[in-house]
Amino acid sequence: MVADSGAPPGAVDVILPCLDEAAALPWVLSRLPAGYRAIVADNGSTDGSAHLARELGATVVEAAERGYGAAVHAGLLAATAPIVCCCDADASLDPTDLPRLVRLLTAGPGGGAGGGPADLVLGRRRPVTAGAWPAHARAGNAVVVAAARRRCAVRIRDLGPMRVARRADLLGLRVTDRRFGYPLELVARAAAAGWNIVETDVRYLPRSGKSKVTGTATGTVRAVRDMSAILRRLP
């Protein structure tokens, strides 16, 4: 466990959407900062992920409806801490980066010096190796982010899967997408609500196992399609 948590015990829950991540879970859960509770939202795993997560001390909730957004929403409903983080369970993101995002949420840039606290903190992925983020996935992300910047007037450069916000505020946004469009709808609704959205760099590592979303060109196309549909539905 990591000592520097950036928050008092019980103040932070970490939602880990999970689909067949047994190979990655031991590393991911071992990297959680002290006082951060893991909520593994299992989305139909067949490799024993849910059982393993329980053995490793995580809270496990079943997300019966398939889809990334469905898993995140199930984890959010199960969360009880005032601050909620979201982080992929495939070892592509290091949970030790979370306290830095939490501090931006609670204190603002520079420990509260200027800018004030954020309402939503997004982790901008910075690949540590050339193969950590495939070219087709980077291209798909760039297309969606560019559209979001134009449509929602948000100054972001990534729609990455690591983010931090207050649980009550997230529930108040009433995000409805249960597929790959969830992150974009969240940002769009947050922007429309006037949230202070802050972005900070996080390390992006080669994931463990095969990606269900952006590891293939087909998965990237599905994600871009779902996110583009979100933009078309915005008022």
Side-chain angles (χ1 to χ4, degrees), residues 6 13 21 38 52 68 77 81 109 160-161 166 170 179 212 221 230:
D13 282 338
E21 303 294 2
L52 175 61
Y68 173 81
L77 292 178
R166 296 168 186 84
L170 287 172
R179 291 171 56 84
K212 272 72 73 176
V221 169
I230 293 294

Side-chain angles (χ1 to χ4, degrees), residues 54-144:
R54 289 189 184 95
E55 286 191 330
L56 293 172
T59 297
V60 177
V61 296
E62 302 294 336
E65 182 182 357
R66 293 296 287 267
Y68 173 81
V72 174
H73 186 66
L76 181 59
L77 292 178
T80 57
I83 296 173
V84 173
C85 307
C86 190
C87 179
D88 277 356
D90 60 7
S92 62
L93 295 163
D94 190 341
T96 63
D97 283 333
L98 288 172
R100 183 161 47 85
L101 276 68
V102 169
R103 282 191 290 270
L104 286 172
L105 184 79
T106 57
D119 298 304
L120 174 64
V121 183
L122 304 174
R124 182 192 183 193
R125 290 168 288 184
R126 289 295 196 181
V128 299
T129 65
W133 199 357
H136 58 79
R138 290 198 308 272
N141 181 72
V143 169
V144 173

Side-chain angles (χ1 to χ4, degrees), residues 20-220:
D20 294 332
E21 303 294 2
L25 280 172
W27 184 86
V28 173
L29 294 175
S30 73
R31 303 285 289 176
L32 281 175
Y36 284 44
R37 180 175 69 130
I39 300 177
V40 173
D42 190 68
N43 205 209
S45 296
T46 59
D47 68 344
S49 289
H51 177 71
L52 175 61
R54 289 189 184 95
E55 286 191 330
L56 293 172
T59 297
V60 177
V61 296
E62 302 294 336
E65 182 182 357
R66 293 296 287 267
Y68 173 81
V72 174
H73 186 66
L76 181 59
L77 292 178
T80 57
I83 296 173
V84 173
C85 307
C86 190
C87 179
D88 277 356
D90 60 7
S92 62
L93 295 163
D94 190 341
T96 63
D97 283 333
L98 288 172
R100 183 161 47 85
L101 276 68
V102 169
R103 282 191 290 270
L104 286 172
L105 184 79
T106 57
D119 298 304
L120 174 64
V121 183
L122 304 174
R124 182 192 183 193
R125 290 168 288 184
R126 289 295 196 181
V128 299
T129 65
W133 199 357
H136 58 79
R138 290 198 308 272
N141 181 72
V143 169
V144 173
V145 168
R149 287 169 63 97
R150 292 192 302 270
R151 185 70 173 78
C152 308
V154 288
R155 296 189 177 186
I156 61 172
R157 294 163 290 180
D158 187 16
L159 275 171
M162 180 177 278
R163 51 190 173 271
V164 176
R166 296 168 186 84
R167 179 178 183 270
D169 293 345
L170 287 172
L171 289 171
L173 287 181
R174 299 186 182 277
V175 179
T176 61
D177 191 86
R178 296 295 179 260
R179 291 171 56 84
F180 300 137
Y182 183 97
L184 177 57
E185 184 183 352
L186 189 157
V187 169
R189 286 181 178 269
W195 284 23
N196 180 20
I197 301 174
V198 173
E199 194 174 49
T200 187
D201 289 351
V202 296
R203 293 164 289 176
Y204 196 49
L205 313 167
R207 62 153 288 140
S208 175
K210 183 179 180 181
S211 172
K212 272 72 73 176
V213 184
T214 56
T216 65
T218 301
T220 296

